[in-house]
Amino acid sequence: MFHKIRLRLTLLSGTITTLILIIMTLGYLYISEKNLMQNKTLSWQNDISSVAFNLEQQSVITHAWLANLEGSGNYYVSVLDNNTPFLFNGKSHEPQNQVLFDTIWDHYRENSNMLPENILSYRSYYKSFPYQGEESYYCFVITLDKDHSALEMLLVSPLSAIYEQIKRQRFVFTCIIAAALVAIWLFSWFFTGKLLYPIEENRQKQNHFIAAASHELRTPLAVILTCTESSLEKVQNNDQTIALGRDLTIVKNESLRMSALLEDLLTLSSSDSNCFTINKAPVELDTLLLNTYETFEVMAHAKNITLSISLPDKAVPLCCCDQARIQQVLVILLHNAISYTPNGGKIMLSIAAQNKYCILTVSDTGSGIPNEEKDKIFDRFYRSEKSRSAKGHFGLGLSIAYEIVTAHHGTIAVQDNTDGGAMFVVRLPIS
């Protein structure tokens, strides 16, 4: 599914970008080619005006001037004086061009009833028109009334050069667009992969979460089922009431374990759906820590664990937080510490104010947490190999603590205790 979504997103983004790029390129080429033709037209008009001016000023048209006019390579020249061809051995009189010029003159005569395009002076005017033969040409006929005679000059400009320039421009842009499209599609593929990676990672975590939750729920349900069947048999066989009571106690305990697990799952589900309620109010965290200490003092004493607390000389500033949620964090940390600290060990609670933060620490002298596991212990259902046999721990407590502290815009981290074991540090913003 992930691969299909990635492919579809790549097709969508790549297609849209491709269409935009092609439309912009075609628009640019249209404007560029239009400007190119307009500039060429202005150049023609300037040339025609210059030629007409020279015709008016010259009393004699020289072969050198006509040869120079053709020598630029922009025009072929043909001159008629009272419909008599001017004796000039230019390109117009070359055998391969003679038919072309005769055809153009005939085309001009057929359309001679049209008004002149531009009057250059009271003595001259010109007409321009395209002509399509084996090649494309643009033609200009300058008419000059001089000495009671009509002098006509045909200037033929081949369009092959400008068409070649347009073709080169289109080829260059085609290569650029092709390279850009390859880059765009590759970028779209890798970008969508990067974009979807967190989603895929979250999906995998969710699948792992469901698998782990199913595994954890399967065990208490199996115990409940077994004990229930055993109880039914004992009731049917009129066995001892003591044995029946023991089985029912087991069922009750396993039901409580399953209820606690479901409660933890609901808490994490609320966090995932942004329904994690935080009711903030000014709280005396030192008092809260002291109350939690007193709650677990009996449990620690039962395991021969020394539980101590360190409070600062000055009262800690009030912290704006959810008292019930922060107490839940302390309960999780203390319960873990007592569970994994051996008999005769020590657990220390402390609180301090630093800058704009209130720092709570829970340290123990247990087996500690390996460095390679420090980044994983806040993951859901993750438990250190050393603690997997501990009944009642599903690997959700630290995940819940992490979600609660994060919802308060604080941080929770674990580090090695100087006396051995682990130390959890919770930093909460005061305001």
Side-chain angles (χ1 to χ4, degrees):
M1 184 181 71
F2 173 77
H3 183 75
K4 290 183 178 179
I5 294 176
R6 183 181 182 184
L7 183 59
R8 290 178 181 176
L9 284 178
T10 301
L11 289 174
L12 177 64
S13 60
T15 302
I16 293 175
T17 308
T18 299
L19 290 176
I20 293 174
L21 187 60
I22 290 176
I23 292 173
M24 292 181 63
T25 302
L26 292 177
Y28 173 81
L29 284 176
Y30 171 78
I31 295 173
S32 176
E33 292 174 8
K34 184 178 179 180
N35 290 336
L36 192 62
M37 293 302 299
Q38 288 177 347
N39 292 335
K40 188 63 176 177
T41 301
L42 291 175
S43 176
W44 284 332
Q45 291 175 350
N46 292 332
D47 291 344
I48 298 306
S49 299
S50 177
V51 171
F53 178 78
N54 287 328
L55 285 175
E56 292 181 1
Q57 297 301 316
Q58 296 180 67
S59 57
V60 177
I61 300 177
T62 64
H63 285 242
W65 180 69
L66 293 176
N68 183 59
L69 189 60
E70 283 194 342
S72 62
N74 295 328
Y75 301 100
Y76 302 155
V77 180
S78 176
V79 182
L80 296 180
D81 188 2
N82 287 328
N83 292 327
T84 302
F86 191 79
L87 297 178
F88 167 62
N89 296 325
K91 295 179 180 179
S92 61
H93 292 278
E94 295 177 359
Q96 65 271 23
N97 294 330
Q98 185 65 51
V99 177
L100 172 65
F101 274 82
D102 290 341
T103 306
I104 294 175
W105 275 118
D106 292 340
H107 178 78
Y108 169 70
R109 300 300 182 198
E110 291 173 1
N111 297 278
S112 60
N113 57 339
M114 297 177 59
L115 294 175
E117 180 179 337
N118 194 1
I119 299 176
L120 299 172
S121 68
Y122 69 95
R123 298 173 59 190
S124 63
Y125 60 89
Y126 79 88
K127 288 175 62 177
S128 63
F129 55 92
Y131 180 77
Q132 181 67 44
E134 293 182 1
E135 295 184 23
S136 298
Y137 303 91
Y138 213 79
C139 308
F140 303 88
V141 175
I142 302 174
T143 302
L144 176 65
D145 295 329
K146 189 173 185 180
D147 297 332
H148 306 289
S149 64
L151 181 67
E152 293 176 309
M153 176 179 285
L154 172 62
L155 298 177
V156 179
S157 178
L159 296 178
S160 56
I162 191 169
Y163 285 166
E164 186 65 28
Q165 183 177 354
I166 291 175
K167 187 185 296 184
R168 285 197 303 269
Q169 180 175 268
R170 291 179 179 178
F171 175 76
V172 170
F173 268 85
T174 301
C175 294
I176 294 174
I177 291 301
L181 289 179
V182 172
I184 286 172
W185 282 94
L186 288 176
F187 174 78
S188 298
W189 176 256
F190 287 107
F191 178 75
T192 51
K194 284 285 186 180
L195 184 67
L196 293 175
Y197 177 76
I199 300 176
E200 174 65 11
E201 186 180 29
N202 185 62
R203 186 181 69 85
Q204 292 177 354
K205 287 183 177 180
Q206 185 178 15
N207 291 338
H208 176 72
F209 179 84
I210 294 173
S214 302
H215 175 75
E216 294 292 349
L217 287 171
R218 188 182 296 116
T219 302
L221 285 174
V223 174
I224 291 173
L225 181 61
T226 302
C227 290
T228 303
E229 292 176 349
S230 176
S231 299
L232 289 173
E233 291 177 358
K234 291 172 182 176
V235 170
Q236 294 172 356
N237 298 329
N238 296 319
D239 285 351
Q240 298 179 358
T241 306
I242 297 177
L244 178 60
R246 184 187 63 224
D247 291 342
L248 293 177
T249 300
I250 295 175
V251 171
K252 177 183 177 181
N253 292 335
E254 293 300 324
S255 299
L256 290 175
R257 286 186 64 230
M258 189 164 61
S259 176
L261 174 58
L262 292 175
E263 189 68 28
D264 291 345
L265 291 175
L266 288 175
T267 300
L268 292 174
S269 177
S270 299
S271 175
D272 291 339
S273 59
N274 296 323
C275 298
F276 204 58
T277 55
I278 299 293
N279 301 315
K280 291 186 177 181
V283 177
E284 296 178 351
L285 287 183
D286 48 359
T287 302
L288 181 64
L289 186 65
L290 183 60
N291 292 337
T292 308
Y293 161 79
E294 293 174 351
T295 301
F296 280 87
E297 190 175 16
V298 175
M299 184 185 297
H301 181 73
K303 286 192 63 176
N304 194 26
I305 295 174
T306 302
L307 179 62
S308 58
I309 184 172
S310 175
L311 299 175
D313 296 334
K314 296 182 180 180
V316 177
L318 294 177
C319 179
C320 187
C321 62
D322 188 324
Q323 179 173 340
R325 293 293 189 185
I326 299 303
Q327 186 172 24
Q328 186 179 4
V329 173
L330 293 174
V331 167
I332 291 171
L333 296 179
L334 264 174
H335 190 268
N336 283 351
I338 292 176
S339 298
Y340 302 133
T341 299
N343 294 343
K346 297 179 181 179
I347 298 176
M348 168 68 75
L349 307 179
S350 66
I351 183 172
Q354 185 178 15
N355 296 329
K356 296 182 179 181
Y357 288 89
C358 199
I359 302 175
L360 301 166
T361 60
V362 178
S363 58
D364 60 62
T365 58
S367 57
I369 300 173
N371 291 330
E372 62 271 13
E373 296 184 1
K374 284 185 172 65
D375 295 334
K376 303 176 183 177
I377 60 172
F378 296 105
D379 293 343
R380 298 174 186 183
F381 288 107
Y382 182 84
R383 293 180 296 180
S384 176
E385 293 296 333
K386 297 179 180 179
S387 65
R388 288 201 179 271
S389 59
K391 194 171 183 180
H393 290 269
F394 305 105
L396 293 178
L398 291 179
S399 299
I400 294 174
Y402 176 83
E403 297 292 346
I404 293 174
V405 174
T406 302
H408 283 80
H409 305 289
T411 61
I412 181 171
V414 62
Q415 60 190 49
D416 293 332
N417 189 10
T418 54
D419 296 331
M423 179 169 65
F424 287 85
V425 180
V426 177
R427 292 168 57 88
L428 295 173
I430 293 177
S431 57

